[in-house]
Amino acid sequence: MKKYKALNIYLVLVFIILYAPIFYLIYYSFNSGGTMHGYGHFTLKWYKEVVQDTRLITIVLNTLVIALLSSAISTMLGVVGALAIRTVRRAPVKNTLLTLNNVLIVSPDVIIGASFLILYTIIGIKLGFTSVLLSHIAFSVPIVVLMVLPKLQEMSPTLIDAARDLGARRWDVLSKVILPFIKPGIFAGFFMALTYSLDDFAVTFFVTGNGFSTLSVEIYSLARQGISLTINALSALLFLFTVILVVGYYFIVQYYRKPRRQGAGE
Amino acid sequence: MQTRYKNIYLIPYVLWIVLFVIAPILLIIYYSFFNIEGHLTFDNYIQFFTPVYLKMAASSFWYAFLIMAISLIIAYPTALLLTRTKHKQLWLLLIILPTWINLLLKAYAFLGIFGTYGPANTFLQFIGIGTKQLLFTDFSFLFVSVYIFIPFMILPIFNALEELNPSLIDASRDLGGSPWTTFRRVIFPLTLDGVKSGCQAVFIPALSLFMITRLIAGNRVITLGTAIEEHFLVTQDWGMGATIAVFLIIAMAIIMILTGKRRRG
């Protein structure tokens, strides 16, 4: 089976190329030399610089606050949106809503950024925290809708009828029947919104104005000035954070998958 | 009996659609009719059809096409091989993981890798070619863009391959189809939907990239995205920027229609 070996080499090569730049960054974050070539000796001074840089810490906190707030709000809006789309009976209306929902997903970031910039200028929202938060909420909503909708469609309508027949009010149906059922979709949507927000650069770059900055925008302006190993140290920390987030997400999904199956069997 | 009660969920959701989907598009179109002094005019459109802008649009499409084609050529075999590995889901997760690393950090890594003293040049020297200027060239732009987009191409193709009924491949083999014929006549046509959504996921963002062109390609490569960013944030000529954006939206719509799934036909 020599052929298979050759094929596996291809796959390994793809993985190496995919990960090499990331580990390259991390490797040089411990370099005392100050450049990304020619290794001096092992040092943690770049990490120290990151931790001591209060401006950078503020930016990291800004980024986290924006990410958590925007994904929480967009999750709520997205769930409401998914419920709205489900409740609509007429097919053309439903399809129109779905198409409009997907516009922001397929639009290039530059267009979203530029059009939001115009929007905020016209409405008179000052560029900064509010404009960035609003933008992040806006572009995360459709993702949440797409994550929640399949779960809603999976749910049998008889479940709701049963709850109604047993005398549940609308709010009870929502909080005790629908929401628990679509919980996995809600969590998936929340995490997607979180990663979208943490990862976004282009939209934020357009609407951020002067005083306010998120991590992506900061990395961009640092990188435009050339190589600085502080960015490497920062990227190593972010990589670690991402891995933790992914592993966490993986376990949450696993956790919710099991009880649901048991529940269905009861 | 039809239960007709008011759909209160619609109110906030439609509000969101109106404010953040419909209004921004209308505003872009509205602004494209104003010049930098704020006068109502068609000048921006006339200017767009001058050679300068047409050339830029053409080269932007050409680069996006190249990025898409190279990604597809590398991604398809990767996805095919992935479906044959033992721990598929784990490998898939490993393919997706780099997409969660900030795009700018990945681009930044290549500043070092392609630098004059970077590992890429060390390698070139080692095999006897000698040091080359790699940064700020078309090559580095294409390489980094493909690097960034490749997981987005692998993912939909992988999903399409997973949905493929394996007995179809067995049937083709039993009927005497060579592996190549099986691929060409069975596997590829049946995964075309995945290829299309992969191309969509790569081509549209590739048209509008501006951070990579700025960081990696110097100002050698100017895409539609770079031009929009320049007009909005540097020269403050929002009208012209909006005009380019209108064309980008039209291009996007055409691509969506061309690559759209025809399942509901």
Side-chain angles (χ1 to χ4, degrees):
Chain A
M1 289 254 115
K2 252 191 179 161
K3 210 171 126 202
Y4 268 100
K5 241 180 199 163
L7 291 175
N8 278 332
I9 289 172
Y10 179 80
L11 206 57
V12 170
L13 211 68
V14 170
F15 272 101
I16 289 175
I17 293 176
L18 220 47
Y19 278 91
I22 297 162
F23 287 114
Y24 174 78
L25 275 186
I26 297 174
Y27 176 69
Y28 277 100
S29 70
F30 299 110
N31 178 18
S32 67
T35 54
M36 279 208 265
H37 55 83
Y39 216 81
H41 58 85
F42 179 87
T43 176
L44 286 176
K45 79 171 174 192
W46 307 112
Y47 288 87
K48 222 169 166 183
E49 257 179 43
V50 169
V51 180
Q52 285 172 348
D53 190 341
T54 44
R55 200 180 98 85
L56 202 61
I57 299 292
T58 318
I59 291 171
V60 170
L61 287 177
N62 281 344
T63 312
L64 285 177
V65 168
I66 291 272
L68 286 171
L69 261 181
S70 71
S71 35
I73 298 172
S74 61
T75 304
M76 285 187 256
L77 257 173
V79 170
V80 169
L83 288 169
I85 291 178
R86 188 191 129 100
T87 320
V88 169
R89 294 263 175 265
R90 285 166 56 210
V93 180
K94 197 175 237 179
N95 285 337
T96 313
L97 282 178
L98 275 173
T99 310
L100 286 172
N101 184 64
N102 292 357
V103 166
L104 283 185
I105 295 180
V106 296
S107 295
D109 293 347
V110 192
I111 299 219
I112 301 178
S115 60
F116 283 4
L117 177 63
I118 298 179
L119 181 74
Y120 298 142
T121 317
I122 286 204
I123 303 181
I125 293 173
K126 214 173 140 252
L127 296 185
F129 179 82
T130 324
S131 62
V132 173
L133 181 67
L134 279 176
S135 311
H136 283 217
I137 294 169
F139 69 63
S140 302
V141 167
I143 318 290
V144 180
V145 171
L146 284 191
M147 290 300 204
V148 174
L149 207 54
K151 281 271 161 257
L152 269 178
Q153 274 154 354
E154 217 175 76
M155 196 169 88
S156 155
T158 50
L159 225 63
I160 298 169
D161 293 341
R164 286 249 178 80
D165 289 347
L166 293 168
R169 283 157 185 254
R170 250 186 112 173
W171 172 248
D172 290 329
V173 173
L174 181 67
S175 65
K176 293 194 177 135
V177 180
I178 300 178
L179 287 183
F181 191 91
I182 60 171
K183 218 187 216 168
I186 297 176
F187 269 100
F190 179 79
F191 265 91
M192 284 300 277
L194 204 63
T195 49
Y196 264 62
S197 169
L198 287 175
D199 208 40
D200 176 70
F201 163 70
V203 177
T204 314
F205 188 65
F206 270 87
V207 298
T208 191
N210 273 331
F212 188 78
S213 182
T214 64
L215 207 47
S216 305
V217 176
E218 182 65 15
I219 292 168
Y220 179 71
S221 52
L222 283 176
R224 284 205 80 178
Q225 290 159 20
I227 284 159
S228 132
L229 293 190
T230 326
I231 307 180
N232 292 49
L234 192 63
S235 67
L237 293 173
L238 284 175
F239 182 68
L240 199 70
F241 178 72
T242 309
V243 171
I244 292 171
L245 207 66
V246 170
V247 172
Y249 173 72
Y250 182 76
F251 278 109
I252 286 176
V253 168
Q254 291 291 315
Y255 176 81
Y256 276 105
R257 211 167 261 173
K258 273 176 200 158
R260 197 170 60 83
R261 274 199 195 134
Q262 281 166 3
E266 273 170 17
Chain B
M1 203 189 100
Q2 226 183 355
T3 46
R4 265 181 172 267
Y5 56 92
K6 275 186 207 154
N7 189 348
I8 50 159
Y9 302 126
L10 265 179
I11 300 164
Y13 184 62
V14 168
L15 209 66
W16 167 78
I17 286 184
V18 170
L19 206 59
F20 289 104
V21 180
I22 297 172
I25 295 175
L26 293 180
L27 282 174
I28 285 262
I29 296 169
Y30 176 74
Y31 261 76
S32 69
F33 293 109
F34 287 93
N35 66 10
I36 198 161
E37 279 107 31
H39 298 303
L40 191 68
T41 165
F42 281 103
D43 282 358
N44 294 326
Y45 285 90
I46 296 166
Q47 212 185 342
F48 187 85
F49 285 102
T50 56
V52 184
Y53 280 96
L54 284 181
K55 233 168 116 183
M56 183 203 72
S59 88
S60 185
F61 273 97
W62 172 239
Y63 278 113
F65 173 76
L66 279 180
I67 293 166
M68 182 190 80
I70 299 169
S71 304
L72 179 62
I73 291 167
I74 300 172
Y76 204 99
T78 311
L80 200 61
L81 290 172
L82 270 178
T83 54
R84 295 184 184 165
T85 51
K86 258 187 200 161
H87 305 283
K88 269 183 236 180
Q89 293 306 323
L90 180 72
W91 289 115
L92 193 67
L93 191 71
L94 283 176
I95 290 272
I96 305 169
L97 187 66
T99 63
W100 274 316
I101 308 290
N102 198 304
L103 184 150
L104 293 158
L105 287 177
K106 287 182 280 189
Y108 167 76
F110 282 99
L111 283 181
I113 292 173
F114 285 151
T116 321
Y117 306 103
N121 264 321
T122 316
F123 176 74
L124 286 181
Q125 231 162 16
F126 178 75
I127 58 170
I129 295 175
T131 318
K132 284 249 158 63
Q133 170 68 33
L134 292 174
L135 267 185
F136 312 125
T137 60
D138 296 2
F139 164 78
S140 59
F141 173 66
L142 286 176
F143 191 98
V144 176
S145 309
V146 169
Y147 170 81
I148 283 167
F149 286 127
I150 216 145
F152 300 104
M153 188 64 107
I154 294 177
L155 206 61
I157 297 178
F158 176 87
N159 287 337
L161 283 166
E162 283 285 285
E163 278 172 24
L164 189 72
N165 188 343
S167 54
L168 288 172
I169 297 167
D170 293 339
S172 161
R173 293 252 166 85
D174 289 347
L175 294 168
S178 68
W180 172 240
T181 315
T182 309
F183 175 76
R184 199 167 49 94
R185 306 285 293 268
V186 181
I187 302 177
F188 190 74
L190 285 173
T191 52
L192 207 58
D193 267 350
V195 173
K196 276 180 182 173
S197 35
C199 288
Q200 218 178 64
V202 172
F203 193 83
I204 296 173
L207 269 182
S208 59
L209 278 180
F210 70 90
M211 43 286 192
I212 297 176
T213 57
R214 288 257 192 265
L215 285 178
I216 298 288
N219 281 333
R220 269 188 58 88
V221 181
I222 293 181
T223 62
L224 291 174
T226 326
I228 294 174
E229 187 251 5
E230 177 119 3
H231 283 301
F232 268 94
L233 298 177
V234 185
T235 62
Q236 300 284 328
D237 184 358
W238 286 15
M240 194 61 220
T243 310
I244 303 170
V246 167
F247 279 97
L248 193 52
I249 292 172
I250 294 171
M252 197 182 83
I254 294 172
I255 294 158
M256 299 292 294
I257 293 163
L258 284 180
T259 57
K261 287 177 189 164
R262 277 184 220 123
R263 271 187 194 152
R264 280 182 212 152

